[in-house]
């Protein structure tokens, strides 16, 4: 490409822009280092599919990316209403990024409700592409517009692109034997084609996806392909879009390897399969469908070839009961749920603590209490995971920090469960579950060896010389009891929720024995080997920001902003929440101030204050959405100078 004019400028937000104008009146191409796009429309407009496809092509192009799907809890919310708006935000760049972005540079609004629900998030100067066909008087009145926002000057501060998406889609599909209503369903593909042209996204993957998805419906397949291509061609030929944009691959952001785009739930499912293979055990999932955890059940059900067995139970209690039975039978046992399901599973988790069997309890947290906000995110199950059982029933708790990290967190949860014979709580959340980012596919040699031996014979000698099997005779290092598979000759033993005698496993009501067993189970959890927490503190700061789980991205982005502005701040992030890393107390004691941002009302802060007597300051948000980096940066700056 020969450029006629070239220039580079610096945007207010730090985005580097380069522009090349081609000779002969061909449209200019502007180079950006990052962009944030949000697709928004009715929950039936296909915004999640559109976003997924744009994300997949962006990942294949080599950009770093982070996504934020946001949709109603209803399967089909009322059309044209504010509660029915579904959106998908994608942040992609030519460098390392950590969040789906604070504010969109581009909004694609399929109707008035989508515009009204999202306009408040847009900075002045942002581009808005609106489907003008949907801006009818009735549709606008439904969301409170007295006059058309496309004509009353309220959008003068933005770069507005009015496009009759529905009309153009129907026109592009007139050669197909489709009703107008059927043709209109492809308008999301027209929009995808237009945005793919605007940002020079590859198209081969989307065309291949459409051919596979609608292989049995050739008319629908051809219509969607035609709409997608028509959107691309519209961008190339229309006068309204004078500039397209290029965001180069993030060639220096990633270590060498093979990458794919992955969501948190998919990474978690793959991690569970990998854990079962590394342990040499069949994987059993006992689960009841619940948002936002159901994707794990759906994914694992596809992998019978890896020895995965999935059981969709009639309720949450049956799901974990079956999983615990599978653990007794020698499987790597998992149950998946969200906060309401954890409450129902609590008694069986306590039984697993008493039986001392390995069991993974995966909690994809969502907004609560009760049904709460099923499709929104929150971190409010930490105290439930720590203490939500009767009696002294300690369990390890770990939390992944990013969607891709869910893979490693699943392996770590399996390591702890198998090594120490204990149920483990894994706390992901809706933001991680549905969001996605590039993931380097690990080499098999990088995965840990998770194999543990089963008991094969007697392990104790009585005073009279008789060799017997004691089901509660412990490993001196881990305090784990032996794992005996039912049916192994000579290893018969009792199980159940009534307290057991140390060693023999016989039922015991002896007060001293109960005290000993309670303290031993606690000591086992306290003694779990977890890595020390690492502190990122290049400037010798006096303020530490401590996070856990999915706050990692926003916190790290905020810390980067502060350091660029010359503000010294240290950062540490917890994966292991029970037990805490052994050096955590020493780390906290090195700083004058400790700030803990959480998507709850201060649950980790309460634990830290109680255990370490540190005056930790909470910064909390419970609006169903992840933190914004700028919001956190301002709060942390105030903490530094307070």
């Amino acid at each position: 490409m020969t450029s006629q004019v070239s220039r580079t400028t610096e945007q207010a937000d730090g985005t580097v822009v380069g522009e090349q104008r081609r000779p002969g009146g061909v449209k200019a191409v502007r180079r950006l280092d990052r962009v944030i796009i949000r697709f928004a429309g009715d929950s039936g407009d296909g915004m999640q599919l559109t976003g997924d496809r744009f994300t997949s092509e962006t990942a294949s192009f080599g950009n770093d990316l982070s996504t934020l799907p946001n949709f109603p809890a209803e399967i089909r919310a009322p059309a044209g209403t504010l509660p029915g708006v579904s959106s998908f935000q994608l942040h992609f760049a030519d460098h390392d990024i950590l969040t789906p972005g604070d504010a969109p540079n581009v909004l694609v609004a399929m109707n008035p409700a989508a515009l009204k629900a999202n306009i408040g998030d847009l900075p002045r100067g942002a581009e808005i592409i609106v489907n003008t066909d949907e801006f009818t008087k009735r549709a606008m009145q439904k969301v409170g517009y007295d006059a058309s926002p496309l004509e009353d000057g309220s959008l003068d501060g933005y770069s507005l692109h009015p496009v009759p998406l529905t009309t153009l889609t129907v026109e592009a599909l007139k050669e197909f034997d489709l009703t107008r209503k059927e043709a209109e369903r492809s308008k999301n593909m027209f929009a995808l084609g237009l945005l793919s042209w605007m940002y020079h996204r590859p198209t081969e993957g989307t065309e291949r996806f459409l051919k596979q998805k609608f292989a049995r419906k050739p008319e629908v397949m051809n219509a969607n392909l035609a709409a997608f291509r028509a959107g691309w061609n519209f961008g190339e030929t229309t006068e309204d879009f004078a500039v397209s944009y290029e965001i180069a691959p993030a060639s220096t952001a990633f270590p060498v390897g093979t990458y794919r785009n992955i969501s948190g739930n998919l990474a978690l499912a793959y991690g569970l399969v990998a854990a079962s293979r590394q342990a040499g055990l069949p994987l059993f999932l006992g689960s009841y469908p619940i948002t936002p955890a159901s994707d794990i059940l759906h994914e694992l059900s596809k992998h019978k070839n890896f020895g995965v067995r999935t059981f969709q139970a009639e309720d949450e209690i049956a799901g974990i009961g079956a999983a615990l039975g599978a653990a007794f039978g020698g499987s790597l046992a998992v149950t998946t749920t969200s906060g309401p399901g954890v409450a129902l599973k609590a008694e069986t988790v306590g039984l697993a603590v008493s039986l001392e069997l390995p069991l993974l309890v995966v909690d994809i947290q969502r907004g609560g209490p009760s049904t709460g906000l099923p499709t929104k995110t929150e971190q409010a199950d930490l105290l439930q995971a720590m203490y939500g059982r009767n009696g002294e029933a300690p369990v390890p708790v770990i939390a992944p920090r990013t969607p891709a990290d869910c893979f490693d967190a699943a392996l770590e949860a399996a390591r702890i469960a198998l090594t120490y014979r204990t149920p483990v709580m894994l706390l992901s959340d809706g933001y991680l579950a549905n969001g996605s980012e590039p993931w380097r596919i690990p080499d098999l040699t990088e995965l840990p060896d998770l194999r543990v031996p089963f008991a094969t014979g007697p392990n104790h000698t009585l005073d009279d010389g008789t060799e017997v099997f004691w089901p509660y005779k412990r490993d001196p290092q881990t305090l784990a009891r032996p794992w005996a598979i039912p049916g192994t000759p000579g290893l018969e033993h009792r199980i159940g929720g009534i307290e057991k005698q140390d060693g023999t496993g016989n039922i015991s009501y002896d007060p001293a024995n109960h005290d000993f067993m309670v303290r031993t189970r606690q000591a086992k959890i306290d003694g779990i080997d977890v890595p020390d927490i690492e502190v990122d503190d290049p400037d010798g700061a006096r303020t530490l920001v401590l996070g856990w789980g999915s706050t990692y991205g926003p916190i790290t982005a905020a810390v980067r902003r502060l350091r660029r502005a010359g503000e010294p701040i240290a950062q540490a992030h917890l994966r292991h929440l029970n037990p805490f890393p052994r050096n955590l107390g020493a780390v906290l004691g090195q700083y004058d101030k400790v700030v803990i941002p959480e998507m709850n009302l201060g649950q980790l802060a309460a634990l830290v204050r109680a255990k370490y007597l540190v005056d930790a300051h909470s910064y909390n948000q419970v609006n169903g959405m992840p933190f914004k980096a700028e919001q956190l940066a301002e709060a942390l700056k105030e903490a530094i100078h307070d």
Side-chain angles (χ1 to χ4, degrees):
M1 178 179 70
T2 303
S3 62
Q4 190 175 43
V5 179
S6 180
R7 70 172 185 267
T8 300
T9 60
E10 181 81 13
Q11 300 285 63
D13 63 357
T15 302
V16 177
V17 178
E19 184 169 299
Q20 293 180 322
R21 296 193 181 280
R22 301 176 183 178
V26 180
K27 295 182 178 183
V29 178
R30 187 172 298 166
R31 296 187 305 277
L32 307 176
D33 70 348
R34 66 184 181 91
V35 71
I36 303 166
I37 299 174
R38 183 181 297 177
F39 299 93
D42 272 335
S43 55
D45 282 341
M47 294 297 94
Q48 302 306 315
L49 175 61
T50 304
D52 283 340
R53 290 313 315 155
F54 196 93
T55 299
S56 294
E57 297 297 359
T58 297
S60 68
F61 188 72
N63 296 118
D64 195 9
L65 61 90
S66 180
T67 69
L68 177 61
N70 186 15
F71 43 87
E74 294 81 6
I75 294 174
R76 185 65 172 93
T81 64
L82 294 175
V85 173
S86 174
S87 68
F88 188 105
Q89 184 164 305
L90 166 67
H91 183 191
F92 61 103
D94 65 2
H95 58 276
D96 175 35
I97 58 173
L98 297 153
T99 75
D102 288 357
N105 306 115
V106 182
L107 171 66
V108 180
M110 303 298 281
N111 59 22
L115 177 64
K116 186 152 191 177
N118 292 280
I119 190 66
D121 293 337
L122 267 64
R124 304 302 265 181
E127 293 192 77
I128 303 175
I129 301 171
V130 295
N131 180 14
T132 56
D133 289 325
E134 295 297 322
F135 279 73
T136 63
K137 184 176 180 179
R138 180 181 178 186
M140 288 187 291
Q141 288 177 341
K142 188 181 291 188
V143 295
Y145 282 128
D146 296 325
S148 174
L150 310 183
E151 301 170 355
D152 64 4
S154 61
L155 301 179
D156 287 349
Y158 306 95
S159 177
L160 181 64
H161 301 280
V163 180
L165 287 172
T166 306
T167 299
L168 290 170
T169 302
V170 172
E171 179 65 21
L173 303 184
K174 63 182 180 180
E175 65 184 83
F176 296 94
D177 186 22
L178 300 172
T179 66
R180 179 180 177 86
K181 187 174 182 179
E182 290 171 336
E184 288 178 359
R185 291 174 183 162
S186 297
K187 62 181 180 290
N188 64 322
M189 287 297 105
F190 189 100
L192 178 60
L194 173 58
L195 269 293
S196 297
W197 171 83
M198 282 183 66
Y199 290 94
H200 294 241
R201 299 296 90 186
T203 61
E204 295 81 4
T206 294
E207 294 204 359
R208 186 166 55 249
F209 168 82
L210 292 172
K211 290 175 182 177
Q212 292 173 349
K213 182 176 180 63
F214 299 111
R216 298 182 180 181
K217 299 178 180 179
E219 192 74 7
V220 175
M221 176 189 70
N222 291 328
N224 278 285
L225 286 170
F228 177 66
R229 293 164 181 164
W232 177 282
N233 293 333
F234 176 77
E236 184 70 31
T237 58
T238 183
E239 295 297 321
D240 193 39
F241 294 92
V243 178
S244 63
Y245 303 91
E246 285 184 346
I247 296 90
S251 54
T252 62
F254 307 116
V256 174
T258 302
Y259 287 80
R260 59 157 292 164
N261 181 51
I262 201 164
S263 68
N265 274 353
L266 183 58
L268 212 158
Y270 286 176
L272 294 173
V273 174
S276 76
R277 302 294 285 186
Q278 293 303 105
L281 300 174
L283 177 65
F284 179 90
L285 174 69
S287 183
Y288 179 75
I290 184 173
T291 302
S294 300
D295 292 340
I296 303 171
L297 169 62
H298 300 160
E299 181 62 33
L300 288 178
S301 68
K302 303 174 184 177
H303 298 291
K304 297 181 180 65
N305 57 313
F306 286 115
V308 178
R309 290 170 290 178
T310 54
F311 169 57
Q312 180 173 319
E314 68 268 28
D315 55 41
E316 295 281 3
I317 298 171
I320 189 173
L324 185 56
F328 181 59
S331 292
L332 176 60
V334 185
T335 187
T336 53
T337 188
S338 190
V342 173
L344 292 167
K345 295 178 189 292
E347 182 179 3
T348 308
V349 175
L351 176 59
V353 171
S354 176
L355 298 181
E356 300 189 45
L357 286 171
L359 174 67
L360 304 187
V361 182
V362 178
D363 177 6
I364 313 297
Q365 301 166 95
R366 69 190 205 186
S370 188
T371 306
L373 304 175
T375 59
K376 310 303 179 184
T377 197
E378 207 164 89
Q379 286 183 298
D381 293 349
L382 176 56
L383 293 183
Q384 179 178 221
M386 288 285 292
Y387 304 120
R389 293 161 295 282
N390 65 297
E392 295 287 346
V395 298
V397 181
I398 70 171
R401 60 176 58 182
T402 68
D405 188 47
C406 290
F407 178 87
D408 295 318
L411 286 165
E412 175 66 355
R415 177 190 74 85
I416 293 173
L418 294 170
T419 302
Y420 296 90
R421 311 289 197 274
T422 177
V424 176
M425 297 286 296
L426 191 156
L427 297 182
S428 180
D429 60 45
Y431 170 40
L432 296 183
N434 297 316
S436 63
E437 65 177 353
W439 171 59
R440 186 181 70 84
I441 301 173
D443 189 273
L444 289 178
T445 59
E446 300 172 19
L447 300 181
D449 184 352
L450 300 179
R451 290 173 295 180
V452 295
F454 291 120
T456 57
N459 61 357
H460 184 76
T461 303
L462 299 176
D463 292 340
D464 63 2
T466 305
E467 291 188 338
V468 296
F469 174 68
W470 275 15
Y472 280 86
K473 184 168 185 176
R474 301 178 183 279
D475 181 286
Q477 298 298 319
T478 65
L479 299 182
R481 78 174 186 89
W483 194 0
I485 301 301
T488 306
L491 303 191
E492 297 85 355
H493 60 283
R494 294 181 179 88
I495 63 168
I498 298 178
E499 185 63 279
K500 307 297 185 297
Q501 184 181 51
D502 178 46
T504 68
N506 296 329
I507 291 174
S508 173
Y509 294 99
D510 178 62
N513 177 78
H514 177 60
D515 182 273
F516 179 83
M517 293 295 278
V518 167
R519 294 179 186 276
T520 300
R521 287 189 289 262
Q522 184 65 58
K524 181 172 68 169
I525 304 306
D526 293 341
I528 291 173
D529 181 24
V530 303
D532 283 349
I533 191 169
E534 298 180 357
V535 182
D536 176 19
D537 184 6
D539 304 313
R542 302 313 308 156
T543 300
L544 171 72
V545 54
L546 177 67
W548 70 277
S550 67
T551 57
Y552 174 78
I555 288 175
T556 307
V559 166
R560 288 181 179 179
R561 293 188 186 201
L562 290 172
R563 289 177 180 169
R564 284 197 299 266
E567 300 284 357
I569 188 166
Q571 178 187 1
H573 207 79
L574 287 165
R575 163 173 283 177
H576 298 88
L577 297 152
N578 192 33
F580 284 133
R582 285 171 176 75
N583 69 330
L584 179 58
V587 166
L588 296 175
Q590 296 173 10
Y591 294 90
D592 296 336
K593 296 177 184 176
V594 177
V595 183
I596 304 180
E598 298 181 79
M599 292 187 293
N600 57 47
L601 294 182
Q603 297 187 15
L604 175 61
L607 294 173
V608 167
R609 290 190 193 105
K611 185 172 181 64
Y612 301 106
L613 304 181
V614 171
D615 185 20
H617 300 269
S618 288
Y619 184 73
N620 308 116
Q621 173 177 297
V622 282
N623 62 7
M625 299 294 288
F627 284 111
K628 293 182 178 180
E630 184 62 30
Q631 162 197 1
L632 268 181
E634 288 298 319
L636 295 175
K637 183 177 180 180
E638 289 180 11
I640 292 172
H641 295 286
D642 185 9

